[in-house]
Amino acid sequence: LISQKNDNKKYLSKSYILLGYYCEDRSDYSAGLKHYLAALSVYKSIGNDRGIADCYINIGNAYMYLGKYSEVLESYFSGLKIYEKLGIDRGVASAYDNIGSIYSYLGNLEYALKNNLQSLKIFKKIGDKEGIAYAYNNIGIVYYKQGKYIEALESHNASLKLKREIGDSAGVGNS
């Protein structure tokens, strides 16, 4: 990488992130993980906490695709802790939503709902309609798995309404 030759660590870390995205788009999750871990190392060396938090989320996503769920949660919680320390509400809310989704997938519906509701609360506080819509959708999934069909329908309808409002046609199909 050119940024390696120039010893520009800021751009080097971004290059690794972009390579990770590229690998994930090609379903090469192990290679994506390798690039995210390299970016994490660079961000740590320059003390970029925001970059470190973002890397932990990307690392968690890669582990999710690889089916390594304990590593997913560990990575998401690491990112969450840093976002909280930095006061980055959108990052905190997204991390809670991701954590809720993993707990839902693993069948721990109590923790899934707790995290998704926390995500919804923060997304509402900051007025992030897209985040609110995705949180409602994930809450609906948990309610459905719990057999609470009326609550599930209400949550999915709330998500659908917001996704239509913001013009998220792909999201409309998921609600």
Side-chain angles (χ1 to χ4, degrees):
L1 297 171
I2 293 172
S3 51
Q4 276 178 314
K5 292 178 184 175
N6 294 336
D7 198 34
N8 188 327
K9 292 187 177 191
K10 176 182 173 187
Y11 291 111
L12 178 61
S13 56
K14 288 183 180 186
S15 297
Y16 283 131
I17 294 292
L18 292 173
L19 285 169
Y21 291 157
Y22 174 75
C23 291
E24 278 193 7
D25 284 345
R26 299 184 72 231
S27 300
D28 189 351
Y29 305 114
S30 294
L33 176 61
K34 181 183 100 178
H35 292 301
Y36 296 142
L37 290 168
L40 178 64
S41 177
V42 174
Y43 279 130
K44 284 182 174 182
S45 77
I46 60 175
N48 183 328
D49 287 343
R50 171 66 188 259
I52 293 168
D54 292 344
C55 277
Y56 277 127
I57 300 304
N58 288 328
I59 290 166
N61 292 341
Y63 279 133
M64 179 185 60
Y65 291 122
L66 293 169
K68 297 182 176 185
Y69 300 108
S70 62
E71 289 92 338
V72 173
L73 287 171
E74 182 181 327
S75 296
Y76 285 166
F77 277 116
S78 294
L80 171 63
K81 183 177 176 183
I82 295 169
Y83 287 136
E84 287 176 329
K85 180 182 100 178
L86 297 174
I88 300 172
D89 288 338
R90 187 171 203 314
V92 171
S94 294
Y96 275 124
D97 205 46
N98 288 346
I99 292 165
S101 294
I102 293 302
Y103 278 133
S104 177
Y105 179 79
L106 295 174
N108 190 333
L109 301 181
E110 179 185 340
Y111 282 114
L113 188 58
K114 175 185 170 196
N115 282 279
N116 289 137
L117 288 170
Q118 184 65 21
S119 172
L120 177 63
K121 179 181 172 184
I122 297 168
F123 278 133
K124 282 183 173 183
K125 178 182 132 193
I126 62 175
D128 183 330
K129 287 186 178 184
E130 182 181 24
I132 295 167
Y134 281 94
Y136 271 131
N137 196 61
N138 288 333
I139 290 165
I141 291 168
V142 174
Y143 281 142
Y144 181 82
K145 288 180 175 182
Q146 290 177 327
K148 298 178 179 178
Y149 302 117
I150 292 171
E151 291 91 338
L153 184 59
E154 290 170 351
S155 294
H156 284 298
N157 281 334
S159 175
L160 178 62
K161 180 182 176 198
L162 283 169
K163 288 178 181 179
R164 283 184 175 149
E165 256 181 54
I166 62 175
D168 181 359
S169 54
V172 165
N174 289 328
S175 292

